[in-house]
Amino acid sequence: MEAYQPGFQPKDGGYLKLNTNENPYPPAPGAVTAVREAGVDSIRLYPDPQSVRLREVIGEVYGVPVERIIAGNGSDELLAMALRCFAGEGDRVAFPAPSYSLFGVLARIQGAKPEEYELDADFGLPEEFFSARAAIKLVASPNSPTGTVYSIEIIQRLLEETEGVVLVDEAYVDFAEESCLPLLLDFPNLIVTRTCSKSYSLAGLRVGYGFASEEIITGLMKVKDSYNLNAVSAAAAAAALADRDYAREITSRIVIERERLAESLAGLGFKISPSGANFLLCRPPGGRAEDLYRKLFDRKILVRWFDTPRLREFIRISIGTPEEMDILTEAVREILE
Amino acid sequence: MEAYQPGFQPKDGGYLKLNTNENPYPPAPGAVTAVREAGVDSIRLYPDPQSVRLREVIGEVYGVPVERIIAGNGSDELLAMALRCFAGEGDRVAFPAPSYSLFGVLARIQGAKPEEYELDADFGLPEEFFSARAAIKLVASPNSPTGTVYSIEIIQRLLEETEGVVLVDEAYVDFAEESCLPLLLDFPNLIVTRTCSKSYSLAGLRVGYGFASEEIITGLMKVKDSYNLNAVSAAAAAAALADRDYAREITSRIVIERERLAESLAGLGFKISPSGANFLLCRPPGGRAEDLYRKLFDRKILVRWFDTPRLREFIRISIGTPEEMDILTEAVREILE
């Protein structure tokens, strides 16, 4: 069995990191304060096993009752819990490809049967995925690494045509224009997961959260590690989520920058996949993505290149600050010349 | 399926918490500093998925190569990983009872068959446990909630007579006189887990670590969440583990206090189970444990009482500071009068 391969994390500095979709802006000031002023007792004593305080903040922000919210050690833990709950040995786990490569890894860990459904030419969900029979279907929207947003109508159709559970991983949704969260009210088979790693700049602290029916949340709570979320991360996440102005500000800067980068790269002959995330998947002129990836690496600019038949001609670029994007664009221009 | 039930965590202050085996002393100063001076980038960027720096410190402290060490989000996560690796659906998972109640919960989460082996009258491992056939055997030494230490000879015999994997959970071992860690060299089927929650006062940060053969560690790494340990907790744990003098000092205070408490309670007619942990399991006069538990609770003193046939006549008391133990002893004396 193959483990999930995260993007390259350089040990030394001096790299421009545009390969793992981190946020270029610091976390909300209150989140940093929550870490730096952590009380000795919050370090010494067991944390709240249910992360109630954090879930209350999430509930207020999204207008969802606490009983329909779960918090986890990154949204990866929530995905793992969902598969532990709903994918028994030999059960089918359906998901599109290319998508988040952890989906298949988690299915195999459960001894379940991963079933990939190839996205269509525009990275849309294929017809067969809607009608597929599976214990659980997993979709990332916006999708990684393509950036594709699946509209609320598409997700609704998927829910209507699926008997099992549908998990929509909305890790990148704050950079998009719509979320499927409103569908929670009508579909008891929907799980929506989110993360504080992208739009809240807390990747190092590992905080994810999820929404579902009370029944599903109760089930997920049973398969989580007892004290799955540490006290310091929970406090920082609560502070970050509560600061709506700051979140809006850094998110909107990234969205603006994404559109500016898309335009610059299009001007250099790139084909850009429409993105609702904090990254762009794009095909350089001639599809010479590996070459570009390596030449950027030589200049200590890290982007992501996936060596698979479908993605080999693309690179994925995380959106940074305007200055970082200028450096990238200039480097790309020089390499292509 | 029943979830694991952690001890009561009061939301408001004013309680003397002797129910979940936390450490009464603050974490090593360097660990607190690691949290309070966390860099913004360690919060913003993904952590090292392999926790190499922390594993290097653990390796130096214990003289074990980094390749034989894994770090996790609490030792609970390591137990869960081990079961994910070694207990398939329907496989037997053997463990003594009474012991850490999470063992059975984790086996059931995997769809495996939990098989309990009743400890003998002195809480020793029963003969049938040695000869039992199981995909994996789990033993806590010192055992919780009894405090019983299983000697290195006993663990060696268990390893010799077991074909499957043996996981020894040494969460409390720093308060005991021996560890089975030296057996790692001879037994490729041994996993030893440890935690920073007890002897290092870091329960709130969720850090555990484990030792095993390189082959087993490689397997565990494949089933862990990609970024399972957050950057701040990893840095704090590394600092705590590196400060040997501080760890020795607070551990030895707790051991001294444990022996003093055992003597006081014996003087009040308690029967004390010999303990190598930071708690005592003891039977009050007449076995009226529930009554004592409730009367202590009324005085805002929390101890643990397990409502099971085997443990109903006992209470488990976490060891605190000398002052805390004086308060407890005085309260017990008054209640019994």
Side-chain angles (χ1 to χ4, degrees), chain A residues 97-324:
Chain A
S99 186
Y100 189 20
S101 61
L102 187 68
F103 291 163
V105 174
L106 290 175
R108 282 185 289 272
I109 287 175
Q110 282 308 108
K113 258 204 304 226
E115 300 201 335
E116 291 192 356
Y117 290 80
E118 190 71 15
L119 292 174
D120 67 24
D122 299 322
F123 301 127
L125 298 177
E127 271 309 306
E128 308 75 50
F129 184 62
F130 292 91
S131 54
R133 295 176 69 94
I136 181 166
K137 296 182 184 177
L138 310 169
V139 193
S141 179
N143 188 39
S144 176
T146 65
T148 323
V149 176
Y150 302 113
S151 71
I152 193 164
E153 290 77 20
I154 290 175
I155 300 296
Q156 173 160 355
R157 192 190 141 202
L158 182 64
L159 284 158
E160 283 164 353
E161 299 185 14
T162 301
E163 274 181 43
V165 170
V166 173
L167 184 151
V168 182
D169 180 5
E170 292 194 339
Y172 298 98
V173 81
D174 292 329
F175 307 103
E177 283 175 14
E178 64 176 350
S179 157
C180 70
L181 209 54
L183 296 175
L184 266 186
L185 290 179
D186 294 323
F187 295 92
N189 58 333
L190 171 63
I191 303 175
V192 179
T193 57
R194 300 277 184 104
T195 178
C196 291
S197 298
K198 316 294 182 184
S199 47
Y200 294 99
S201 300
L202 299 181
L205 297 188
R206 320 303 307 122
V207 184
Y209 50 103
F211 304 94
S213 68
E214 206 175 320
E215 198 187 339
I216 287 182
I217 295 295
T218 306
L220 293 174
M221 286 278 189
K222 286 187 181 174
V223 299
K224 79 176 183 61
D225 286 346
S226 329
Y227 300 100
N228 62 323
L229 185 52
N230 77 83
V232 173
S233 295
L241 279 151
D243 193 340
R244 303 312 304 153
D245 288 344
Y246 187 85
R248 244 188 308 270
E249 168 66 24
I250 63 173
T251 301
S252 103
R253 282 196 209 177
I254 290 167
V255 169
I256 289 168
E257 201 49 35
R258 181 185 71 207
E259 299 312 311
R260 192 174 73 100
L261 179 68
E263 219 170 289
S264 314
L265 292 179
L268 293 172
F270 282 64
K271 201 190 140 208
I272 313 289
S273 168
S275 172
N278 67 339
F279 58 80
L280 281 181
L281 187 75
C282 50
R283 184 180 179 279
R288 297 186 50 193
E290 181 179 6
D291 185 59
L292 178 58
Y293 159 74
R294 294 197 188 283
K295 286 182 172 152
L296 287 170
F297 190 95
D298 291 342
R299 292 167 188 239
K300 296 199 140 191
I301 299 175
L302 304 177
V303 299
R304 194 88 191 254
W305 174 67
F306 300 90
D307 189 8
T308 67
R310 183 80 188 261
L311 294 172
R312 198 166 286 145
E313 297 193 349
F314 295 82
I315 58 171
R316 193 190 69 186
I317 305 168
S318 307
I319 305 302
T321 62
E323 299 70 34
E324 289 171 340

Side-chain angles (χ1 to χ4, degrees), chain A residues 83 86-95 107 112-115 117 132-137:
Chain A
L83 288 185
F86 298 107
E89 211 158 293
D91 281 352
R92 287 194 197 124
V93 176
F95 47 89
K113 258 204 304 226
E115 300 201 335
Y117 290 80
R133 295 176 69 94
I136 181 166
K137 296 182 184 177

Side-chain angles (χ1 to χ4, degrees), chain A residues 22-23 43-44 46 198 204, chain B residues 22-23 43-44 46 198 204:
Chain A
E22 285 134 339
N23 198 308
I43 298 174
R44 182 178 69 86
Y46 280 98
K198 316 294 182 184
Chain B
E22 284 135 339
N23 197 310
I43 298 175
R44 181 179 70 86
Y46 280 98
K198 317 293 182 182

Side-chain angles (χ1 to χ4, degrees), chain B residues 82-83 85-87 92-94 129 132-139 158-159 161-168 187-192 211-213 216 220:
Chain B
L83 289 184
C85 262
F86 298 107
R92 287 193 197 126
V93 176
F129 185 62
R133 294 176 71 94
I136 182 167
K137 296 181 183 178
L138 310 169
V139 194
L158 182 64
L159 284 159
E161 299 184 15
T162 301
E163 273 180 46
V165 170
V166 173
L167 184 151
V168 182
F187 295 92
N189 58 333
L190 172 63
I191 304 175
V192 179
F211 304 95
S213 68
I216 288 181
L220 294 173

Side-chain angles (χ1 to χ4, degrees), chain B residues 131-199:
Chain B
S131 54
R133 294 176 71 94
I136 182 167
K137 296 181 183 178
L138 310 169
V139 194
S141 178
N143 187 39
S144 175
T146 66
T148 322
V149 175
Y150 303 114
S151 71
I152 192 163
E153 290 79 17
I154 289 174
I155 300 296
Q156 176 160 354
R157 193 190 140 200
L158 182 64
L159 284 159
E160 282 164 354
E161 299 184 15
T162 301
E163 273 180 46
V165 170
V166 173
L167 184 151
V168 182
D169 180 5
E170 292 195 337
Y172 297 99
V173 80
D174 292 328
F175 306 103
E177 285 175 12
E178 63 176 351
S179 156
C180 71
L181 208 54
L183 296 175
L184 266 188
L185 290 179
D186 294 323
F187 295 92
N189 58 333
L190 172 63
I191 304 175
V192 179
T193 56
R194 301 277 185 102
T195 178
C196 292
S197 298
K198 317 293 182 182
S199 48

Side-chain angles (χ1 to χ4, degrees), chain A residues 2-13:
Chain A
E2 287 302 304
Y4 171 73
Q5 292 296 337
F8 176 65
Q9 297 284 6
K11 297 256 175 326
D12 50 330

